[in-house]
Amino acid sequence: MEHIRLPKVEQVKLLDRVSPRKSRVGTLYLTATHTIFVESEDGQRDETWVLHSLVSSLEKSSSSSSSSSGVSLMIHCKNFQLLQFVIPEEQDCQDILLSLQRLSQPESYEELYCFAYKPNVAEEERQREWDFIDLTSEYKRMGVPNSHWKLSQANQDYKVSDTYPSEVFVPESATLPVIVGSSKFRAEDDFPPCATTTEETTQPCVAVVSLCPASALGAWRMSRFERNRQQSAGKGYENEDNYSNIKFQFLGIENIHVMRNSQQKMLEVCELRSPSMSDFLERLENSSWLKHIKAVLDAALFVAKAVSEEGVSVLVHCSDGWDRTSQVCSVASLLLEPHYRTLRGFMVLIEKDWISFGHKFSHRCNHLDGDPKEVSPIVDQFLECVWQVTEQFPCAFEFNERFLITVHHHIYSCQFGNFIGNNQKEREQLEIQKRTHSLWTYLWSNRADFINPLYRSNHSQTQGVLQPSTAPYCFKFWKGLYNRFERGVHPRQSVEDCLRTIREETEQLEEQLASHKQKISKLEEQKWTVSMNIFDKSPTAWIFSPT
Amino acid sequence: MEFAELIKTPRVDGVVLHRPFLPTVEGTLCLTGHHLILSSRQDNTEELWLLHSNIDAIEKRFVGSLGSIVVKCKDLWIIKLDIPGMDECLNIASSIEALSTLDSVSLMYPFFYRPMFEVIEDGWNTFRPEDAFKDLESMTDEWRLSEVNKDFNTCPSYPPLLAVPKDIDDDTLRKVATFRHGGRFPVLSYYHQKNGMVMMRAGQPLTGTNGRRCKEDEKLINATLRAGKRGYIIDTRTINIAQQAKAKGGGFESEANYPQWRRIHKAVERSNVLQESLIKLVEACNDQSHSMDRWLSKLEASNWQTHVKEILTTACLAAQCIDREGASVLVHGTEGTDSTLQVTSLAQIILDPASRTIRGFQNLVEREWLQAGHPFQVRCAQSAYSSNKARQEAPVFLLFLDCVWQILRQFPCSFEFNESFLVLLFEHAYASQFGTFLGNCAADRVKLGLPDKTVSLWSWVNRQQELERLTNPLYEANSLVIWPSVAPQSLLLWEGVFLRWNRSSKCLDEAYKEMVHIIEYNKELQNKVNSLRRQLAQLETEDPLLQSP
């Protein structure tokens, strides 16, 4: 509370970016967790709530339109909401700005919303939330441990790798010293564990996929350059001589800094006011965003094909192993494994490839006031890749677009504990499971909103490996996420909502049908006995018998 | 001329056909006067029947004695035929070239086509102007049906019957016709029942450099205004282009002579530019490079989406003037046969729920495109692949269909028809066994005797099995005005046409089937529940003995 310099400002205008005439006047409140705008129009009490942890940047400028006096405060949010307020007094605006700057960039984890978020849930139930997704049973589903993969104790107490979970699966033949050696050899101590298994893991051949930018053609020349460059930084890639039976493949996915700048440019496109078509397409191209999305999907498709068609095991790595690697492994798993395309399976996938394998959520999503160079939309790209695939396979996924957008929202919102911290070790230190709520149960209990009505578990699209086309024209701009709050640009009628209503109605009809059938058979039975009774007494009653 | 003269080699065996997403077929290739036929001569395999008029361009390739012909169609399909024998290949190629570019309309296939289905309703009589006028009369008595053009003398590109303001007589119309490009005097395009406002269309006024004036023209359009009300003139050209038109005898309505009208200029592109745009877009879609930068920059450079946005924006403006401002509107560009019709017909899609039904849309195409004199014959003579220099070809109608598709995407429950109907109209506008899109105007159609000698597309469409295929299962009549978004994010590439042969639509088709299944299952259950409910009610009432205890 000590950070709130000014709890309330009146006569604030919330501008409508599309049609300025629709702007609203009201009161702006700052609370410990939210900025709240309450419209003061008679009869209308529309409220706009913005969580402080969702604020990504703030801009103050003297109001551009001469007609309205005051100072403009622009709030850019991590969920791509953009709010522009006009505050009458310069000093008030300054106070709000300074308060929000502090509130939106907490200095310690303890300040995050998840520790303050206390819905009306019994403690016992809260504890159970954390058992909802259980990775041990997931590994069991995958069929490990087995004769080739075993549970390793090597990382107990995070002795070997801080960023890995304490329980990992490694090849049976790898003994403890090999794992330690392997991790020393790799940057940041990530040793190669098992991300997804298929029946083919027994094959001796392994494909090593490097996601660093080095084109597959002329890989040697490029990779030498890459090696020289990286070896000077103490990093490198597997020397082919030391890994027999191994194919190398370089797939160029850019690093986190390139991705951050690219998204920034792409968001500028979204924020343009009534751009022309050329403006839009040209800037979209210049942002390179879709190019990067395509690169990730290309790499994932490569891995999925290597596993499913050539039957080889795949070792995926980049320089650190928690960004590009997570993206590619998780998208590839999704293409390979129908289970990950279900609501629950998708949660498992995120839990396994992102949360447990040390994607640095708090750094990448800027949960705390930290190094801006650590921020990068890696997980956004993952979610977008999934969305792009859902567009090509409308029946293959149990969840819908809204689900992906909601997951995105809460990765940034800090309302749930799942994504807090940068690895499992940190989360244990923060006692996340003891003090916060889990997103997964929240999503599960609201699953009616997130189900794709076209999904049917026995549909051909839900079976087997998905092979999306990665031709450039198959990639679309994801307005559902990046223009999420611009109501005007979305379709005015939703096929999905229609189908959802119809399916709900169908379910009711099925119940009615069953109950009618039951009633009818009951009645007929009764009638039969009645008519039989009558028949006993009066031989003329036969006309009442059922036909 | 006999077709036989053009067919040097009527039959070749051992030809291999390559098509996108389908297995190759080996069989016998036959050329007839109107078709290229490939048959594998086995039972249960489909034969390929390709209309010569659908062929936009061909390319010959030779490897040793094996020749290949790449056939590029107007509906953007590309197939390849491997033909053994150099001579055969050359002969086939030259025959296809000759047969696909026949100049004489009367040699076209519709004159030879005999329907294999029973014509229940003759499409040539389905949408008569008299009937349309009866509908209008039931709403207003301010208009009359004029026969001034019954011999096509007043305006060669107009139909014989036209709706004009009641107080304007035929003599006045004749005078106005001399003042408007191509004799296209202002006529009624749409009557907005909600507020009685109207949309008219015309050719540009022939003011020339010295500002010629026509009192009758002013009188005609002023007759459509309510007392004290102003109207809007939407000129589909920029002010610069409209200015330049004066040098060629054209021009626009000056404020001085039309004080009751506010003129708005928009920038809807016309013929050659549009044809260029289509060629570039299709080229971009067929680019195999797999580079995202290249795709986006080519898409942008084609300007196709820009045209879609401009046309829709202008149509929205016209609709807004009518519905929101409560004003009457006159739309024109230069000739009044292209951009004008895009705007007036799309404005009706936005405003008029009737035009969003299957029949209403046919009616709209008939009234605002065919009767209104859009020159289909010349505009659709070539498509995106032809290397001939475009003369008057332009994808004006395709752009209109694209815009309708955009609105359909945004309001998926407000149209009785689905995307297939729009694709079908695109195909038939460019090549067809039906006579509907032959000729350039009503006068041509009379001259060619189309209603007697050919079958109408509508006769074929308006049959149960076709209608079923074209009906949108999500349709729920929506009596409201539907305002589309024209933001670049909202306008998509029409995959169903432009990527149709580039990417497999299998999964999307399956999704459509799944949707149909969900809806049909629901209806089936409804019927079952209703009949059980009746049965139950009957059981409960018919048996007095059951009620008594």
Short mmCIF file of all heavy atoms in Angstrom, two decimals, chain A residues 278 285 291 294 392 453 456 459 461 470 473 476 483 488-489 492-493 498 502 505-506 510 512 520 527 534, chain B residues 290 293 297 300 410-414 485 489-490 495 502 507 510 514 521-522 526 529 533 536 539 543 545:
data_model
loop_
_atom_site.label_atom_id
_atom_site.label_comp_id
_atom_site.label_asym_id
_atom_site.label_seq_id
_atom_site.Cartn_x
_atom_site.Cartn_y
_atom_site.Cartn_z
N SER A 278 -1.43 -1.99 -47.00
CA SER A 278 0.00 -2.07 -47.31
C SER A 278 0.84 -1.82 -46.07
O SER A 278 1.81 -2.52 -45.81
CB SER A 278 0.38 -1.02 -48.35
OG SER A 278 -0.35 -1.22 -49.50
N GLU A 285 5.67 -7.84 -42.18
CA GLU A 285 6.84 -8.48 -42.78
C GLU A 285 8.12 -8.00 -42.09
O GLU A 285 8.97 -8.80 -41.71
CB GLU A 285 6.88 -8.17 -44.28
CG GLU A 285 8.03 -8.87 -44.99
CD GLU A 285 8.39 -8.20 -46.30
OE1 GLU A 285 7.52 -7.56 -46.91
OE2 GLU A 285 9.56 -8.30 -46.70
N LYS A 291 7.94 -15.12 -39.56
CA LYS A 291 9.11 -15.88 -39.99
C LYS A 291 9.64 -16.72 -38.83
O LYS A 291 9.99 -17.88 -38.99
CB LYS A 291 10.18 -14.91 -40.48
CG LYS A 291 11.36 -15.57 -41.14
CD LYS A 291 12.15 -14.58 -41.96
CE LYS A 291 13.22 -13.91 -41.13
NZ LYS A 291 13.99 -12.94 -41.94
N LYS A 294 7.31 -19.55 -38.05
CA LYS A 294 7.50 -20.60 -39.05
C LYS A 294 8.77 -21.41 -38.75
O LYS A 294 8.77 -22.64 -38.86
CB LYS A 294 7.58 -19.98 -40.45
CG LYS A 294 7.92 -20.97 -41.55
CD LYS A 294 7.74 -20.35 -42.93
CE LYS A 294 8.62 -20.98 -43.99
NZ LYS A 294 8.50 -22.42 -44.12
N GLN A 392 -5.03 -25.33 -38.83
CA GLN A 392 -4.96 -26.29 -39.93
C GLN A 392 -5.69 -27.60 -39.64
O GLN A 392 -6.09 -28.30 -40.55
CB GLN A 392 -3.49 -26.61 -40.26
CG GLN A 392 -2.76 -25.44 -40.89
CD GLN A 392 -1.42 -25.88 -41.48
OE1 GLN A 392 -1.28 -26.97 -42.01
NE2 GLN A 392 -0.43 -25.01 -41.38
N PRO A 453 -15.80 -27.56 -29.81
CA PRO A 453 -16.98 -28.39 -30.11
C PRO A 453 -16.75 -29.36 -31.28
O PRO A 453 -17.49 -30.33 -31.42
CB PRO A 453 -18.07 -27.37 -30.45
CG PRO A 453 -17.36 -26.11 -30.75
CD PRO A 453 -16.07 -26.14 -30.01
N ARG A 456 -13.61 -34.64 -31.40
CA ARG A 456 -14.24 -35.92 -31.10
C ARG A 456 -13.08 -36.89 -30.94
O ARG A 456 -12.22 -36.97 -31.82
CB ARG A 456 -15.14 -36.30 -32.26
CG ARG A 456 -16.03 -37.47 -32.05
CD ARG A 456 -17.29 -37.40 -32.95
NE ARG A 456 -17.05 -37.12 -34.36
CZ ARG A 456 -16.61 -38.01 -35.23
NH1 ARG A 456 -16.32 -39.23 -34.86
NH2 ARG A 456 -16.43 -37.68 -36.50
N HIS A 459 -12.25 -39.09 -33.86
CA HIS A 459 -12.14 -38.49 -35.19
C HIS A 459 -10.75 -38.79 -35.77
O HIS A 459 -9.78 -38.86 -35.03
CB HIS A 459 -12.36 -36.99 -35.09
CG HIS A 459 -12.52 -36.31 -36.42
ND1 HIS A 459 -11.45 -36.02 -37.24
CD2 HIS A 459 -13.62 -35.89 -37.08
CE1 HIS A 459 -11.90 -35.45 -38.34
NE2 HIS A 459 -13.21 -35.36 -38.27
N GLN A 461 -8.70 -36.98 -37.31
CA GLN A 461 -7.68 -35.95 -37.07
C GLN A 461 -7.06 -36.06 -35.68
O GLN A 461 -5.97 -35.56 -35.44
CB GLN A 461 -8.28 -34.55 -37.22
CG GLN A 461 -8.34 -34.08 -38.64
CD GLN A 461 -8.92 -32.69 -38.76
OE1 GLN A 461 -8.71 -31.83 -37.91
NE2 GLN A 461 -9.66 -32.45 -39.81
N THR A 470 3.94 -26.03 -43.65
CA THR A 470 4.62 -24.83 -43.17
C THR A 470 4.90 -23.89 -44.33
O THR A 470 5.82 -23.08 -44.28
CB THR A 470 5.93 -25.16 -42.43
OG1 THR A 470 6.78 -25.88 -43.33
CG2 THR A 470 5.67 -25.99 -41.21
N TYR A 473 2.09 -19.20 -46.66
CA TYR A 473 0.71 -18.70 -46.66
C TYR A 473 -0.18 -19.41 -45.65
O TYR A 473 -1.32 -19.03 -45.45
CB TYR A 473 0.09 -18.77 -48.06
CG TYR A 473 0.32 -20.07 -48.80
CD1 TYR A 473 -0.25 -21.25 -48.35
CD2 TYR A 473 1.11 -20.10 -49.95
CE1 TYR A 473 -0.05 -22.43 -49.02
CE2 TYR A 473 1.32 -21.30 -50.63
CZ TYR A 473 0.74 -22.47 -50.15
OH TYR A 473 0.95 -23.64 -50.82
N LYS A 476 -1.04 -17.37 -40.23
CA LYS A 476 -1.92 -16.21 -40.18
C LYS A 476 -1.52 -15.32 -39.01
O LYS A 476 -0.91 -15.78 -38.05
CB LYS A 476 -3.36 -16.66 -39.98
CG LYS A 476 -3.87 -17.50 -41.12
CD LYS A 476 -5.25 -18.04 -40.79
CE LYS A 476 -5.62 -19.16 -41.73
NZ LYS A 476 -6.67 -20.00 -41.17
N ASN A 483 -4.67 -8.78 -30.91
CA ASN A 483 -5.69 -7.73 -30.93
C ASN A 483 -6.89 -8.14 -30.07
O ASN A 483 -8.03 -7.79 -30.35
CB ASN A 483 -6.16 -7.44 -32.35
CG ASN A 483 -5.20 -6.55 -33.10
OD1 ASN A 483 -4.66 -6.93 -34.12
ND2 ASN A 483 -4.95 -5.36 -32.59
N GLY A 488 -13.62 -4.66 -32.30
CA GLY A 488 -14.08 -4.38 -33.66
C GLY A 488 -13.48 -5.25 -34.74
O GLY A 488 -14.08 -5.43 -35.78
N VAL A 489 -12.29 -5.81 -34.51
CA VAL A 489 -11.65 -6.53 -35.60
C VAL A 489 -12.02 -8.01 -35.64
O VAL A 489 -11.66 -8.72 -36.56
CB VAL A 489 -10.10 -6.40 -35.58
CG1 VAL A 489 -9.68 -4.96 -35.51
CG2 VAL A 489 -9.49 -7.20 -34.45
N ARG A 492 -18.13 -11.01 -35.95
CA ARG A 492 -19.24 -10.59 -35.09
C ARG A 492 -20.08 -11.78 -34.62
O ARG A 492 -20.84 -11.68 -33.68
CB ARG A 492 -20.13 -9.59 -35.82
CG ARG A 492 -19.38 -8.43 -36.43
CD ARG A 492 -18.51 -7.74 -35.39
NE ARG A 492 -17.45 -6.96 -36.01
CZ ARG A 492 -17.57 -5.70 -36.37
NH1 ARG A 492 -18.69 -5.06 -36.15
NH2 ARG A 492 -16.58 -5.07 -36.94
N GLN A 493 -19.96 -12.89 -35.34
CA GLN A 493 -20.67 -14.08 -34.91
C GLN A 493 -19.64 -15.20 -34.86
O GLN A 493 -18.76 -15.27 -35.70
CB GLN A 493 -21.78 -14.43 -35.92
CG GLN A 493 -22.86 -13.38 -35.97
CD GLN A 493 -23.78 -13.55 -37.16
OE1 GLN A 493 -23.41 -14.19 -38.15
NE2 GLN A 493 -24.96 -12.99 -37.08
N CYS A 498 -21.88 -20.90 -31.55
CA CYS A 498 -23.11 -21.51 -32.06
C CYS A 498 -23.10 -23.01 -31.83
O CYS A 498 -24.06 -23.59 -31.32
CB CYS A 498 -23.22 -21.33 -33.57
SG CYS A 498 -23.88 -19.78 -34.06
N ILE A 502 -25.47 -25.49 -29.61
CA ILE A 502 -26.18 -26.62 -30.20
C ILE A 502 -25.83 -27.92 -29.46
O ILE A 502 -26.69 -28.73 -29.16
CB ILE A 502 -25.85 -26.74 -31.70
CG1 ILE A 502 -26.47 -25.56 -32.44
CG2 ILE A 502 -26.36 -28.06 -32.28
CD1 ILE A 502 -26.07 -25.43 -33.88
N GLU A 505 -27.55 -28.08 -26.20
CA GLU A 505 -28.95 -28.41 -26.43
C GLU A 505 -29.09 -29.90 -26.75
O GLU A 505 -30.01 -30.56 -26.26
CB GLU A 505 -29.48 -27.56 -27.59
CG GLU A 505 -30.98 -27.51 -27.69
CD GLU A 505 -31.40 -26.90 -29.00
OE1 GLU A 505 -31.29 -25.66 -29.12
OE2 GLU A 505 -31.81 -27.63 -29.90
N THR A 506 -28.15 -30.40 -27.54
CA THR A 506 -28.19 -31.81 -27.91
C THR A 506 -28.11 -32.71 -26.68
O THR A 506 -28.83 -33.70 -26.56
CB THR A 506 -27.03 -32.13 -28.88
OG1 THR A 506 -27.14 -31.29 -30.00
CG2 THR A 506 -27.08 -33.58 -29.32
N GLU A 510 -30.77 -35.40 -25.48
CA GLU A 510 -30.47 -36.81 -25.22
C GLU A 510 -31.08 -37.26 -23.90
O GLU A 510 -31.63 -38.35 -23.79
CB GLU A 510 -28.95 -37.03 -25.23
CG GLU A 510 -28.42 -37.27 -26.62
CD GLU A 510 -26.89 -37.22 -26.71
OE1 GLU A 510 -26.25 -36.70 -25.77
OE2 GLU A 510 -26.36 -37.69 -27.72
N GLN A 512 -33.70 -35.85 -22.40
CA GLN A 512 -35.15 -35.89 -22.58
C GLN A 512 -35.58 -37.17 -23.28
O GLN A 512 -36.55 -37.81 -22.89
CB GLN A 512 -35.62 -34.69 -23.40
CG GLN A 512 -35.65 -33.40 -22.61
CD GLN A 512 -36.06 -32.24 -23.50
OE1 GLN A 512 -36.69 -32.44 -24.54
NE2 GLN A 512 -35.71 -31.03 -23.10
N ILE A 520 -42.46 -43.84 -21.46
CA ILE A 520 -43.33 -44.54 -22.39
C ILE A 520 -43.34 -46.04 -22.10
O ILE A 520 -44.40 -46.66 -22.02
CB ILE A 520 -42.90 -44.27 -23.85
CG1 ILE A 520 -43.29 -42.84 -24.21
CG2 ILE A 520 -43.55 -45.26 -24.82
CD1 ILE A 520 -42.80 -42.38 -25.55
N LYS A 527 -49.99 -50.22 -18.81
CA LYS A 527 -51.19 -50.42 -19.59
C LYS A 527 -51.39 -51.91 -19.86
O LYS A 527 -52.49 -52.43 -19.86
CB LYS A 527 -51.05 -49.67 -20.91
CG LYS A 527 -52.38 -49.36 -21.54
CD LYS A 527 -52.25 -48.24 -22.50
CE LYS A 527 -51.63 -48.73 -23.77
NZ LYS A 527 -51.60 -47.67 -24.78
N ILE A 534 -57.92 -56.23 -16.93
CA ILE A 534 -59.27 -56.06 -17.47
C ILE A 534 -59.68 -57.32 -18.24
O ILE A 534 -60.78 -57.80 -18.14
CB ILE A 534 -59.34 -54.83 -18.40
CG1 ILE A 534 -59.06 -53.58 -17.57
CG2 ILE A 534 -60.69 -54.72 -19.07
CD1 ILE A 534 -58.83 -52.35 -18.40
N HIS B 290 9.03 -20.91 -50.12
CA HIS B 290 8.95 -21.17 -48.69
C HIS B 290 9.53 -20.06 -47.83
O HIS B 290 9.82 -20.28 -46.65
CB HIS B 290 9.64 -22.50 -48.35
CG HIS B 290 8.63 -23.56 -47.98
ND1 HIS B 290 8.38 -23.93 -46.69
CD2 HIS B 290 7.80 -24.29 -48.74
CE1 HIS B 290 7.44 -24.86 -46.68
NE2 HIS B 290 7.08 -25.08 -47.92
N ASP B 293 9.31 -13.89 -45.78
CA ASP B 293 9.50 -12.51 -46.23
C ASP B 293 9.00 -12.33 -47.65
O ASP B 293 8.30 -11.37 -47.97
CB ASP B 293 10.98 -12.13 -46.20
CG ASP B 293 11.46 -11.92 -44.77
OD1 ASP B 293 10.59 -11.90 -43.87
OD2 ASP B 293 12.68 -11.81 -44.56
N SER B 297 5.86 -10.02 -48.78
CA SER B 297 6.12 -8.84 -49.61
C SER B 297 5.41 -8.99 -50.96
O SER B 297 4.91 -8.01 -51.51
CB SER B 297 7.62 -8.57 -49.74
OG SER B 297 8.16 -9.30 -50.79
N GLU B 300 1.75 -8.28 -50.35
CA GLU B 300 1.55 -6.84 -50.21
C GLU B 300 1.64 -6.17 -51.58
O GLU B 300 0.79 -5.36 -51.95
CB GLU B 300 2.61 -6.28 -49.25
CG GLU B 300 2.37 -4.88 -48.77
CD GLU B 300 3.11 -3.85 -49.61
OE1 GLU B 300 4.30 -4.04 -49.88
OE2 GLU B 300 2.48 -2.85 -50.00
N GLN B 410 -17.15 -12.88 -41.33
CA GLN B 410 -17.39 -12.09 -40.12
C GLN B 410 -18.78 -12.33 -39.53
O GLN B 410 -18.99 -12.13 -38.34
CB GLN B 410 -17.17 -10.60 -40.42
CG GLN B 410 -15.73 -10.30 -40.80
CD GLN B 410 -15.48 -8.80 -40.98
OE1 GLN B 410 -16.17 -7.96 -40.42
NE2 GLN B 410 -14.47 -8.47 -41.76
N PHE B 411 -19.71 -12.74 -40.38
CA PHE B 411 -21.08 -13.03 -39.92
C PHE B 411 -21.48 -14.42 -40.40
O PHE B 411 -22.36 -14.58 -41.25
CB PHE B 411 -22.05 -11.98 -40.46
CG PHE B 411 -21.80 -10.60 -39.94
CD1 PHE B 411 -20.94 -9.73 -40.58
CD2 PHE B 411 -22.43 -10.16 -38.78
CE1 PHE B 411 -20.69 -8.45 -40.10
CE2 PHE B 411 -22.20 -8.89 -38.28
CZ PHE B 411 -21.32 -8.04 -38.93
N PRO B 412 -20.82 -15.45 -39.84
CA PRO B 412 -21.01 -16.80 -40.39
C PRO B 412 -22.42 -17.36 -40.23
O PRO B 412 -22.72 -18.38 -40.82
CB PRO B 412 -19.99 -17.64 -39.61
CG PRO B 412 -19.69 -16.87 -38.39
CD PRO B 412 -19.87 -15.43 -38.73
N CYS B 413 -23.26 -16.71 -39.44
CA CYS B 413 -24.62 -17.25 -39.27
C CYS B 413 -25.66 -16.44 -40.02
O CYS B 413 -26.86 -16.75 -39.95
CB CYS B 413 -24.99 -17.27 -37.78
SG CYS B 413 -23.78 -18.09 -36.75
N SER B 414 -25.25 -15.39 -40.71
CA SER B 414 -26.23 -14.49 -41.32
C SER B 414 -26.44 -14.72 -42.81
O SER B 414 -27.19 -13.98 -43.44
CB SER B 414 -25.82 -13.03 -41.10
OG SER B 414 -25.84 -12.75 -39.72
N SER B 485 -16.11 -5.35 -40.47
CA SER B 485 -14.89 -4.63 -40.12
C SER B 485 -13.99 -4.59 -41.35
O SER B 485 -13.86 -5.58 -42.06
CB SER B 485 -14.16 -5.37 -38.99
OG SER B 485 -12.81 -4.95 -38.94
N GLN B 489 -6.52 -6.49 -40.13
CA GLN B 489 -6.50 -7.74 -39.39
C GLN B 489 -7.74 -8.58 -39.68
O GLN B 489 -7.72 -9.80 -39.53
CB GLN B 489 -6.49 -7.47 -37.87
CG GLN B 489 -5.23 -6.86 -37.33
CD GLN B 489 -5.34 -5.36 -37.23
OE1 GLN B 489 -5.85 -4.71 -38.14
NE2 GLN B 489 -4.86 -4.79 -36.14
N SER B 490 -8.83 -7.90 -40.05
CA SER B 490 -10.10 -8.61 -40.24
C SER B 490 -10.24 -9.17 -41.65
O SER B 490 -11.12 -9.98 -41.90
CB SER B 490 -11.28 -7.67 -39.99
OG SER B 490 -11.11 -7.00 -38.77
N GLU B 495 -8.78 -18.20 -49.03
CA GLU B 495 -8.07 -19.46 -49.27
C GLU B 495 -8.83 -20.37 -50.21
O GLU B 495 -8.23 -21.09 -51.01
CB GLU B 495 -7.86 -20.21 -47.95
CG GLU B 495 -6.94 -19.50 -46.99
CD GLU B 495 -6.85 -20.25 -45.67
OE1 GLU B 495 -6.67 -21.46 -45.70
OE2 GLU B 495 -6.98 -19.60 -44.63
N ASN B 502 -3.29 -25.26 -53.79
CA ASN B 502 -1.94 -25.23 -53.24
C ASN B 502 -1.81 -25.99 -51.94
O ASN B 502 -0.74 -26.44 -51.58
CB ASN B 502 -1.48 -23.79 -52.97
CG ASN B 502 -1.56 -22.95 -54.20
OD1 ASN B 502 -2.59 -22.89 -54.83
ND2 ASN B 502 -0.47 -22.31 -54.55
N CYS B 507 -8.52 -31.39 -44.10
CA CYS B 507 -8.87 -31.21 -42.70
C CYS B 507 -9.95 -30.16 -42.50
O CYS B 507 -10.80 -30.28 -41.62
CB CYS B 507 -7.63 -30.85 -41.89
SG CYS B 507 -6.47 -32.20 -41.83
N GLU B 510 -13.19 -31.73 -43.49
CA GLU B 510 -13.65 -32.62 -42.42
C GLU B 510 -14.30 -31.82 -41.29
O GLU B 510 -15.31 -32.23 -40.73
CB GLU B 510 -12.46 -33.41 -41.84
CG GLU B 510 -12.03 -34.57 -42.70
CD GLU B 510 -10.73 -35.20 -42.22
OE1 GLU B 510 -10.17 -34.72 -41.20
OE2 GLU B 510 -10.28 -36.15 -42.86
N GLU B 514 -18.01 -32.17 -39.90
CA GLU B 514 -18.25 -32.39 -38.48
C GLU B 514 -19.32 -31.40 -37.98
O GLU B 514 -20.22 -31.75 -37.23
CB GLU B 514 -16.93 -32.18 -37.72
CG GLU B 514 -16.90 -32.72 -36.32
CD GLU B 514 -17.06 -34.23 -36.24
OE1 GLU B 514 -16.68 -34.92 -37.20
OE2 GLU B 514 -17.60 -34.70 -35.23
N TYR B 521 -27.46 -33.91 -36.27
CA TYR B 521 -27.76 -34.80 -35.15
C TYR B 521 -28.71 -34.10 -34.17
O TYR B 521 -29.65 -34.71 -33.66
CB TYR B 521 -26.46 -35.21 -34.46
CG TYR B 521 -26.66 -36.10 -33.26
CD1 TYR B 521 -27.30 -37.32 -33.38
CD2 TYR B 521 -26.21 -35.71 -32.00
CE1 TYR B 521 -27.49 -38.15 -32.28
CE2 TYR B 521 -26.39 -36.53 -30.89
CZ TYR B 521 -27.04 -37.75 -31.04
OH TYR B 521 -27.22 -38.55 -29.95
N ASN B 522 -28.47 -32.83 -33.96
CA ASN B 522 -29.34 -32.05 -33.09
C ASN B 522 -30.78 -32.04 -33.62
O ASN B 522 -31.73 -32.27 -32.88
CB ASN B 522 -28.78 -30.63 -32.97
CG ASN B 522 -29.66 -29.72 -32.15
OD1 ASN B 522 -30.61 -29.14 -32.66
ND2 ASN B 522 -29.36 -29.59 -30.87
N GLN B 526 -34.16 -33.59 -32.01
CA GLN B 526 -35.35 -32.77 -31.79
C GLN B 526 -36.59 -33.48 -32.31
O GLN B 526 -37.62 -33.55 -31.63
CB GLN B 526 -35.19 -31.43 -32.50
CG GLN B 526 -34.82 -30.31 -31.56
CD GLN B 526 -34.39 -29.06 -32.30
OE1 GLN B 526 -34.63 -28.94 -33.51
NE2 GLN B 526 -33.77 -28.15 -31.60
N VAL B 529 -37.44 -36.48 -30.11
CA VAL B 529 -38.02 -36.08 -28.83
C VAL B 529 -39.45 -35.61 -29.03
O VAL B 529 -40.35 -35.97 -28.27
CB VAL B 529 -37.16 -34.97 -28.16
CG1 VAL B 529 -37.91 -34.33 -27.00
CG2 VAL B 529 -35.83 -35.54 -27.70
N ARG B 533 -42.68 -37.23 -27.46
CA ARG B 533 -43.53 -36.40 -26.60
C ARG B 533 -45.00 -36.57 -27.01
O ARG B 533 -45.88 -36.72 -26.18
CB ARG B 533 -43.09 -34.94 -26.72
CG ARG B 533 -43.67 -34.06 -25.64
CD ARG B 533 -43.11 -32.66 -25.74
NE ARG B 533 -41.71 -32.59 -25.32
CZ ARG B 533 -40.82 -31.73 -25.80
NH1 ARG B 533 -41.17 -30.87 -26.76
NH2 ARG B 533 -39.59 -31.71 -25.35
N LEU B 536 -46.19 -39.91 -25.98
CA LEU B 536 -46.40 -39.93 -24.53
C LEU B 536 -47.73 -39.28 -24.17
O LEU B 536 -48.53 -39.82 -23.40
CB LEU B 536 -45.24 -39.18 -23.86
CG LEU B 536 -45.03 -39.37 -22.37
CD1 LEU B 536 -44.77 -40.84 -22.06
CD2 LEU B 536 -43.82 -38.55 -21.92
N LEU B 539 -50.53 -41.52 -25.15
CA LEU B 539 -50.65 -42.63 -24.21
C LEU B 539 -51.34 -42.20 -22.93
O LEU B 539 -52.16 -42.91 -22.38
CB LEU B 539 -49.27 -43.17 -23.86
CG LEU B 539 -48.68 -44.24 -24.77
CD1 LEU B 539 -47.28 -44.60 -24.32
CD2 LEU B 539 -49.57 -45.47 -24.78
N ASP B 543 -55.94 -43.39 -22.86
CA ASP B 543 -56.30 -44.52 -22.02
C ASP B 543 -56.94 -44.06 -20.71
O ASP B 543 -56.25 -43.73 -19.75
CB ASP B 543 -55.04 -45.33 -21.72
CG ASP B 543 -55.39 -46.69 -21.20
OD1 ASP B 543 -56.51 -46.82 -20.66
OD2 ASP B 543 -54.57 -47.59 -21.32
N LEU B 545 -58.38 -45.55 -18.48
CA LEU B 545 -58.15 -46.42 -17.33
C LEU B 545 -56.86 -46.07 -16.60
O LEU B 545 -56.74 -46.28 -15.40
CB LEU B 545 -58.10 -47.88 -17.78
CG LEU B 545 -59.43 -48.44 -18.25
CD1 LEU B 545 -59.23 -49.76 -18.96
CD2 LEU B 545 -60.38 -48.59 -17.06
#
